[in-house]
Amino acid sequence: LPIYALQILTLNCISSRLLKHTYVIKDDKMYQSYLKSILKYSSIIFVLFCASALSYADESLVPKPFRGDNPESTQVIDYYGLSQFYEKTVLDMGPSSRHNVSRSVARVGTKLKKKVKVHTDGEGNRFIYESFDTQKNKALLTQLKEQLIGVPTQISLNQLNKDEQLAYWLNLYNISLISELVNIYPKRNLKDWLSGENSILEQKILTVADIPLSLNDIQFKILKNKFDSDPLIIYGLYQGNIGSPNIRKEAYTGKHVYKQLKANAFEFINSNRGTFPYSTGFQISSYYERNKDYLELSNKDLKMHLLKYAKSDVKNKLNNTSSFRANIDNWHVTDLYGTERTYGVGAPVESWDVNNDEYTLTFDNGPLSLNQKRQLQSLLKIRAVNFGGGSVTVTDLPDQIEEVEK
């Protein structure tokens, strides 16, 4: 029951007790008993009112236009256009098979080679950052972001239920981050861009309902306080790097938001970039350390959370774990191939296409180097394994991102 309902029930109980005792107080002993009864139930009121006050204090940390909700609301936000956009631009890599990528080798004529994180570089869904090198495609991103920013001008968010609000903030966060990352692409390592006081996450890049907001404001002021630091929320906040939870091939919706978050949690926890057992303990993603406001890193709390979504083989190892090390990270951008430099001699590949049983990508980014084609092939081989096998081919195909329906 909501806290106010508990208060009403408790007050009714107290009234009944008071009425019952009003006519039977005949001696001091009974009077003392009566006082104890009042103190007992008054203490319950006090605790409940304190809990209510704390809840309000948490909500008071949220900017005023975003406070409150309507639990009875049936109004929904339509994210069809955003889902169509992700359908075109996200490659679903499937559930992690914990398959390692090959180590980089130096090409002919040079000793230079790309640094590879063999346990994690082949994991995580991919966004086609390579196709956002034109103003037209960047404008499409901006348009989608502006549409979401404008939602509170059409309906006050407190008129929506909390699930609808959660989906809204997750969608706004993710599309806004992608909009920023396409502007710095093809930067491969995003650590400097996602860390520190001057990071993309700290900058006031949004103005929603006349309130300037950073992405950290959304995560740590709005979502944290409106949703009681629910750790599931962190799995819906895409960071642009391989070491973060997945960007999905669909927008979040109020109807399915918790199902979607649980799916992301399950995928992340059962991947090398989320958890990795070793002989005397358990490695976990540094992403948990950066989100300790949502999830205490004490062994008991963290273990309970991980066990909730872990597969049986991971559960067995977790149950025997006495310590955690939050040191798994991968700051490499979740693109397909674009930051793979050509070291030494490489033959150009003019145009290309990716096909397999589940997915077809179409785009036109000019010539690919031999290294880039190899990187793409390696990624698709891992994807085929993740989906249980299947044919993978890389053939010729042109590219164009279509405008989605608004």
Side-chain angles (χ1 to χ4, degrees):
L1 288 173
I3 196 70
Y4 58 81
L6 289 174
Q7 291 172 351
I8 293 170
L9 288 175
T10 306
L11 287 169
N12 285 340
C13 290
I14 293 169
S15 299
S16 299
R17 294 293 293 263
L18 288 174
L19 289 171
K20 184 182 292 185
H21 286 285
T22 299
Y23 301 102
V24 292
I25 299 176
K26 295 182 179 179
D27 54 39
D28 185 63
K29 186 175 181 181
M30 187 172 290
Y31 180 65
Q32 294 299 323
S33 175
Y34 172 68
L35 286 179
K36 287 181 181 179
S37 176
I38 292 176
L39 289 172
K40 175 182 177 181
Y41 286 95
S42 295
S43 65
I44 295 175
I45 294 177
F46 178 74
V47 170
L48 289 172
F49 272 106
C50 284
S52 180
L54 287 173
S55 176
Y56 176 78
D58 287 344
E59 186 81 359
S60 72
L61 296 176
V62 177
K64 192 172 181 179
F66 314 131
R67 298 176 194 170
D69 63 276
N70 181 359
E72 306 302 321
S73 174
T74 58
Q75 297 186 78
V76 299
I77 302 173
D78 183 3
Y79 296 109
Y80 176 77
L82 187 58
S83 285
Q84 286 291 99
F85 173 78
Y86 285 137
E87 176 68 26
K88 291 285 185 181
T89 57
V90 175
L91 176 66
D92 184 356
M93 285 293 291
S96 171
S97 58
R98 296 186 183 269
H99 189 85
N100 293 346
V101 299
S102 301
R103 293 189 180 276
S104 178
V105 295
R107 301 304 178 199
V108 177
T110 180
K111 293 183 179 180
L112 295 175
K113 60 183 180 179
K114 184 186 73 170
K115 184 177 180 181
V116 174
K117 296 210 165 191
V118 295
H119 296 304
T120 56
D121 263 359
E123 296 197 334
N125 290 353
R126 301 305 167 116
F127 183 83
I128 311 173
Y129 287 100
E130 294 88 343
S131 285
F132 289 87
D133 57 350
T134 67
Q135 289 305 313
K136 179 181 178 182
N137 289 346
K138 288 180 180 179
L140 175 58
L141 263 175
T142 301
Q143 185 178 16
L144 288 168
K145 181 180 74 172
E146 292 299 325
Q147 287 175 352
L148 285 178
I149 289 174
V151 167
T153 65
Q154 301 172 44
I155 179 173
S156 176
L157 293 184
N158 62 21
Q159 295 303 306
L160 303 172
N161 63 49
K162 292 189 78 171
D163 289 359
E164 283 293 329
Q165 290 188 41
L166 176 55
Y168 170 77
W169 288 114
L170 293 176
N171 286 329
L172 179 59
Y173 182 105
N174 291 339
I175 200 68
S176 299
L177 180 67
I178 292 171
S179 295
E180 295 299 310
L181 292 181
V182 298
N183 291 325
I184 65 172
Y185 189 80
K187 294 290 184 182
R188 180 169 185 253
N189 190 314
L190 300 181
K191 185 174 183 178
D192 289 343
W193 300 90
L194 297 175
S195 307
E197 295 180 357
N198 297 318
S199 75
I200 291 172
L201 305 179
E202 286 287 354
Q203 297 170 19
K204 303 286 186 182
I205 62 173
L206 299 168
T207 301
V208 183
D210 296 325
I211 304 294
L213 294 174
S214 69
L215 295 178
N216 276 347
D217 288 336
I218 292 176
Q219 180 175 358
F220 295 107
K221 288 185 179 180
I222 297 173
L223 292 176
K224 178 180 180 294
N225 294 304
K226 285 189 73 71
F227 297 93
D228 198 27
S229 301
D230 185 345
L232 269 180
I233 288 173
I234 70 174
Y235 299 101
L237 300 170
Y238 171 64
Q239 304 292 286
N241 62 310
I242 293 173
S244 75
N246 271 335
I247 183 68
R248 297 180 63 83
K249 278 179 61 65
E250 62 187 0
Y252 288 95
T253 64
K255 183 178 181 180
H256 299 296
V257 64
Y258 281 101
K259 180 179 178 181
Q260 293 169 308
L261 289 173
K262 288 175 183 177
N264 265 25
F266 181 84
E267 189 281 331
F268 189 72
I269 289 170
N270 294 288
S271 73
N272 284 346
R273 68 193 198 284
T275 62
F276 196 84
Y278 61 100
S279 56
T280 59
F282 216 87
Q283 288 177 275
I284 60 171
S285 172
S286 60
Y287 185 65
Y288 291 113
E289 174 67 31
R290 297 192 296 277
N291 284 279
K292 57 189 176 183
D293 285 356
Y294 280 84
L295 184 65
E296 289 293 333
L297 293 184
S298 67
N299 287 352
K300 181 180 178 182
D301 291 342
L302 181 60
K303 182 183 285 190
M304 287 177 62
H305 173 75
L306 296 176
L307 284 170
K308 190 172 182 179
Y309 301 101
K311 291 180 180 178
S312 56
D313 58 330
V314 178
K315 284 183 179 179
N316 293 335
K317 294 169 183 174
L318 272 172
N319 281 322
N320 297 318
T321 293
S322 58
S323 63
F324 294 103
R325 294 169 57 198
N327 63 346
I328 302 175
D329 61 39
N330 191 326
W331 294 98
H332 297 166
V333 65
T334 60
D335 63 356
L336 282 176
Y337 66 85
T339 58
E340 168 75 6
R341 286 183 57 196
T342 301
Y343 296 117
V345 179
V349 178
E350 289 303 326
S351 58
W352 55 280
D353 167 36
V354 178
N355 286 304
N356 64 22
D357 295 338
E358 300 89 7
Y359 199 89
T360 299
L361 287 178
T362 309
F363 39 133
D364 175 22
N365 294 293
L368 297 184
S369 71
L370 183 60
N371 287 4
Q372 289 172 328
K373 186 174 181 181
R374 283 173 174 165
Q375 179 172 316
L376 183 62
Q377 288 174 322
S378 175
L379 196 65
L380 291 174
K381 286 178 182 178
I382 292 174
R383 183 179 185 277
V385 172
N386 291 346
F387 278 110
S391 61
V392 177
T393 60
V394 180
T395 55
D396 292 345
L397 246 175
D399 157 25
Q400 192 60 262
I401 291 188
E402 302 173 9
E403 286 205 35
V404 297
E405 287 188 49
K406 306 300 184 295

